[in-house]
Amino acid sequence: MDKTAGPGRVKGTLTPPCSKSYAQRALAAALLSEEVSVLRNLEFCDDTRSALRCIEALGARVRQADPTTLSIQGGLDPRVSRLDVGESGLATRLFTPLASLCSTPIVIEGRDSLLRRPMGMMLEPLRRLGVTVRDNDGYLPVEVRGPIRGGEVEVDGSVSSQFITGLLLALPKAGQDTTLHVHGAVSTPYLDMTLDTAARFGVEISQRDYEEFYIPGRQHYRSTYFSIEGDWSAAAMLLVAGATAGEVTVRNVSMLSKQADTAICTALVRAGAAVINEPESVTVQHRPLRAFEFDATNCPDLFPALAALAAAADGVSEIRGTSRLEYKECNRAEAIRDEYAKLGIEVDTSEEDLMRIRGGQAHGAHTRSHGDHRMAMSLAVAALRADSEITIEGAESVAKSYPGFFEDLEHIRY
Ligand SMILES: O=C(O)C1=C[C@@H](OP(=O)(O)O)[C@@H](O)[C@H](O)C1
Ligand SMILES: C=C(OP(=O)(O)O)C(=O)O
């Protein structure tokens, strides 16, 4: 689907969808409890729907108490032999270890960009933990047959944190205690979100410097009332719209959150925007923007929002961490470079792990999302400052994380 995004100013207040990272973790934890948990403020995007499908397939009994509240009777009892994780990287790397708690074979399968994302990091550690694994040369589909038994294992954390998240949530239910030795962990705030979720379900895990995790086995996930907070990755796009084209208040987000993408506020301040933090909202106002430096290694999902910010800033911004972008929904560094070039914005990715963006006047153009929700949103935000409309091919991809994005942006644009 093509979408036309127009130039304009923005002013208004928006509430982003709930954090899909927290929602997926809370759904997984509710499955692992033998009791009833209640998840509130849960709205559905494609990725949270994938996680819901997985927990139902693995045995959870889910009742919709109201449009945003689910009551979940947990308990692993696989009803199918195949799990459809849709296009969600997290659901894949989270539910593969969870499925490995079962003694029946389960195939994990996905679609589209997920089929090109590496899954090899899961194979050896799962085998060492007693799981029989069949894979497709390091890609989906993957078949696991547990039960995973715990023990001591080395894990490569340098491509993604998501498999560690899956192990951290699955292994408290294993028969033995586990020590994970993690090498080169990236996206570490996402591991804090996992530990936070586990703790809220009464599960104990200790860790040292994201290098060693100790997970006692045979633990009990207790019944929990879990309110899902607003999504900082979605908020980041809206706040950049405020910084570049007017003023935006985002409700239901707090700087006290453990979400990685709270870091957008640091980038906004460095770029010269006015950022007003309140206990349950953030307001960003436009000011003349200057080039900034920022390391996004641990918050890779911010890159597309940062690109729209840097494109509107005076000078050359330097954003570190591009090597983290190769294996997202598309190669996001290349996609940002190529699509922003169509707008007349120069993006240099020639130096390893670094992106340089020279701010300037964006021009109308026909662009592509590369099937990537964050690219579609980034281009729509960049369009606010363009001299004419930008067409975004593949705009429906926003459904992966923020189905109402275009309506929300239109609501505050004038
Ligand atoms: O655990 C999570 O919720 C996520 C972790 C990050 O992935 P990586 O650990 O692969 O960087 C992030 O990019 C992804 O959107 C969500
Ligand atoms: C990369 C993302 O998600 P996932 O890895 O869960 O597919 C994302 O939401 O930008």
Side-chain angles (χ1 to χ4, degrees):
M1 177 183 84
D2 285 3
K3 195 101 193 166
T4 306
R9 310 266 309 149
V10 291
K11 187 166 174 59
T13 301
L14 292 169
T15 306
C18 75
S19 157
K20 77 177 169 84
S21 290
Y22 262 119
Q24 288 179 291
R25 284 164 172 75
L27 287 163
L31 164 72
L32 295 177
S33 171
E34 253 96 66
E35 303 167 9
V36 177
S37 295
V38 175
L39 307 192
R40 276 201 54 227
N41 287 335
L42 183 62
E43 294 134 327
F44 285 98
C45 58
D46 287 354
D47 279 2
T48 42
R49 222 172 267 115
S50 294
L52 177 63
R53 221 173 26 245
C54 288
I55 68 160
E56 290 189 303
L58 289 172
R61 293 182 194 281
V62 180
R63 193 175 63 80
Q64 182 119 30
D66 68 46
T68 58
T69 307
L70 293 186
S71 155
I72 301 173
Q73 167 68 63
L76 271 175
D77 177 17
R79 298 185 185 138
V80 295
S81 58
R82 307 185 86 78
L83 280 190
D84 170 12
V85 289
E87 207 183 348
S88 170
L90 177 61
T92 313
R93 297 167 180 150
L94 169 57
F95 286 102
T96 303
L98 261 66
S100 303
L101 286 163
C102 307
S103 51
T104 54
I106 298 177
V107 176
I108 291 92
E109 55 192 5
R111 64 177 168 83
D112 302 331
S113 64
L114 195 57
L115 302 177
R116 298 187 292 274
R117 295 176 67 182
M119 300 299 159
M121 80 289 281
M122 302 197 290
L123 308 176
E124 198 45 39
L126 287 175
R127 287 185 181 126
R128 288 199 177 271
L129 292 168
V131 182
T132 306
V133 187
R134 287 204 298 185
D135 72 308
N136 173 30
D137 275 337
Y139 294 89
L140 287 185
V142 169
E143 183 188 86
V144 287
R145 181 185 193 139
I148 195 166
R149 65 170 174 241
E152 187 152 352
V153 75
E154 315 267 321
V155 185
D156 177 9
S158 66
V159 172
S160 169
S161 66
Q162 293 174 335
F163 174 57
I164 303 164
T165 281
L167 291 174
L168 292 175
L169 291 181
L171 285 164
K173 299 298 288 177
Q176 297 172 26
D177 303 347
T178 304
T179 304
L180 293 184
H181 301 281
V182 176
H183 302 284
V186 288
S187 290
T188 50
Y190 288 96
L191 297 175
D192 293 331
M193 295 169 73
T194 308
L195 297 174
D196 178 44
T197 307
R200 285 159 77 177
F201 278 81
V203 163
E204 279 175 34
I205 299 170
S206 50
Q207 69 103 8
R208 191 180 47 78
D209 300 334
Y210 307 102
E211 285 173 359
E212 199 169 289
F213 292 83
Y214 177 69
I215 311 159
R218 298 171 302 282
Q219 292 195 59
H220 175 66
Y221 276 78
R222 70 172 177 227
S223 156
T224 300
Y225 183 88
F226 200 108
S227 184
I228 317 276
E229 53 188 67
D231 191 54
W232 267 98
S233 317
M237 287 290 173
L238 304 174
L239 296 175
V240 169
T244 57
E247 176 173 338
V248 172
T249 297
V250 177
R251 268 196 304 239
N252 198 25
V253 289
S254 153
M255 271 308 283
L256 298 178
S257 168
K258 294 193 183 305
Q259 290 180 55
D261 291 352
T262 53
I264 190 66
C265 291
T266 304
L268 287 163
V269 168
R270 284 186 194 163
V275 179
I276 304 146
N277 274 306
E278 310 232 40
E280 289 184 17
S281 69
V282 179
T283 298
V284 172
Q285 294 166 343
H286 174 67
R287 296 281 184 276
L289 296 174
R290 55 177 179 261
F292 59 93
E293 287 180 15
F294 189 79
D295 186 349
T297 303
N298 281 318
C299 46
D301 293 359
L302 282 184
F303 258 96
L306 291 169
L309 181 65
D314 188 24
V316 179
S317 296
E318 293 193 344
I319 312 172
R320 205 155 274 288
T322 43
S323 54
R324 304 294 336 284
L325 300 181
E326 192 175 344
Y327 302 117
K328 299 296 179 188
E329 284 80 337
C330 64
N331 182 328
R332 276 189 184 148
E334 284 180 5
I336 289 171
R337 183 195 62 204
D338 295 350
E339 299 312 313
Y340 273 79
K342 294 176 186 167
L343 312 184
I345 301 291
E346 192 189 314
V347 178
D348 176 3
T349 55
S350 59
E351 194 169 318
E352 201 185 327
D353 208 33
L354 189 69
M355 179 178 281
R356 287 197 177 87
I357 303 179
R358 179 180 296 283
Q361 176 62 56
H363 303 298
H366 185 101
T367 63
R368 288 196 308 120
S369 74
H370 297 243
D372 183 339
H373 52 138
R374 300 203 194 281
M375 281 304 301
M377 291 189 260
S378 172
L379 292 163
V381 172
L384 292 169
R385 290 186 53 261
D387 55 10
S388 60
E389 287 179 338
I390 292 179
T391 305
I392 305 162
E393 201 181 305
E396 70 284 357
S397 55
V398 298
K400 187 172 190 287
S401 65
Y402 191 170
F405 170 77
F406 284 105
E407 290 72 24
D408 279 0
L409 193 62
E410 222 26 55
H411 185 69
I412 57 170
R413 189 173 73 96
Y414 60 96

